[in-house]
Amino acid sequence: MDKYFAPILIKPSFHCPHCGVYAEQTWSTEICCTCLERYEHQFNKPTSFSLSDSSISICSFCGNVSIWILGKMIYPLTGNVEIANADLPEDLKTDYNEARNIVNISPKGAAALLRLIVQKLCIHIGEKGENINYDINSLVKKGLPIHVKQALDIVRVSGNYAVHPGTIEPGDKIENALALFGLVNLLCNHFITQPKMIDAIYSNLPEKDRINITKRDN
């Protein structure tokens, strides 16, 4: 996957939290509001005011608005999380999006969902998915690259600390949950996206060449 550029206040371009496209952002540093006061079943003349320390960014690609207060994006809540890899299986993508929806409210809950996604992903690629440590060992024997093994071990170790909260404090921080989103996409890219892309290119080779390759391998 391409590098993900998270939304940052007043940054001219980033990956849009709505459409996921890396796009230019148009900024306004003021949010104006109109308030109608109700008195004795009637509405008085509307009054207007501006929110302090507020900003709006508008995506040049999809046109959707993001709202920032005190330097933090408050809408949409999923704004600081990259969109799921398009090749992630649908049931895993549902879990991923649920984790996106709650990460700013419950980092622990989001991290737990992401570890579950990794377990399900192991099943998807032919492992048992019952114990991630055993799955990693099995994949290493099959030639798993070191950087992918390390990604899986990060998920495994962070999960161990999560069930023993007194062991390490950083496990409760949102930064760790946010990092897990990137690891899930990295793992999906390695196990699903790359093989899918190579299979598509390989299938376009002339049939006689594919037959000769099969003969050579046998």
Side-chain angles (χ1 to χ4, degrees), residues 95-165:
D95 292 338
Y96 186 99
N97 289 333
E98 182 177 345
R100 286 185 80 216
N101 288 333
I102 68 170
V103 66
N104 290 304
I105 302 170
S106 175
K108 281 186 178 181
L113 277 170
L114 292 166
R115 286 190 289 270
L116 176 62
I117 290 171
V118 172
Q119 283 186 282
K120 291 181 177 180
L121 187 59
C122 286
I123 296 173
H124 184 81
I125 62 175
E127 301 301 325
K128 293 182 179 179
E130 298 172 356
N131 184 309
I132 192 170
N133 203 32
Y134 295 156
D135 289 342
I136 294 172
N137 183 51
S138 173
L139 290 166
V140 167
K141 291 177 181 177
K142 297 174 183 177
L144 187 70
I146 183 67
H147 71 281
V148 182
K149 182 195 82 68
Q150 289 173 339
L152 285 167
D153 274 323
I154 291 170
V155 177
R156 177 183 64 82
V157 172
S158 67
N160 288 344
Y161 284 132
V163 296
H164 302 291

Side-chain angles (χ1 to χ4, degrees), residues 56-131:
I56 290 178
S57 59
I58 303 175
C59 175
S60 63
F61 185 82
C62 68
N64 282 315
V65 171
S66 301
I67 301 174
W68 305 66
I69 301 292
L70 295 173
K72 295 182 67 175
M73 185 186 294
I74 63 167
Y75 174 81
L77 280 175
T78 58
N80 52 349
V81 181
E82 58 190 281
I83 290 175
N85 187 312
D87 293 319
L88 199 65
E90 286 304 317
D91 58 325
L92 276 64
K93 197 177 294 183
T94 298
D95 292 338
Y96 186 99
N97 289 333
E98 182 177 345
R100 286 185 80 216
N101 288 333
I102 68 170
V103 66
N104 290 304
I105 302 170
S106 175
K108 281 186 178 181
L113 277 170
L114 292 166
R115 286 190 289 270
L116 176 62
I117 290 171
V118 172
Q119 283 186 282
K120 291 181 177 180
L121 187 59
C122 286
I123 296 173
H124 184 81
I125 62 175
E127 301 301 325
K128 293 182 179 179
E130 298 172 356
N131 184 309

Side-chain angles (χ1 to χ4, degrees), residues 143-201:
L144 187 70
I146 183 67
H147 71 281
V148 182
K149 182 195 82 68
Q150 289 173 339
L152 285 167
D153 274 323
I154 291 170
V155 177
R156 177 183 64 82
V157 172
S158 67
N160 288 344
Y161 284 132
V163 296
H164 302 291
T167 308
I168 186 170
E169 284 297 324
D172 296 337
K173 292 185 177 179
I174 190 170
E175 290 82 359
N176 295 292
L178 293 176
L180 290 178
F181 286 98
L183 290 178
V184 166
N185 279 334
L186 182 151
L187 293 168
C188 179
N189 183 59
H190 174 78
F191 289 120
I192 300 177
T193 302
Q194 291 183 16
K196 178 182 175 181
M197 180 181 68
I198 294 171
D199 285 346
I201 297 172

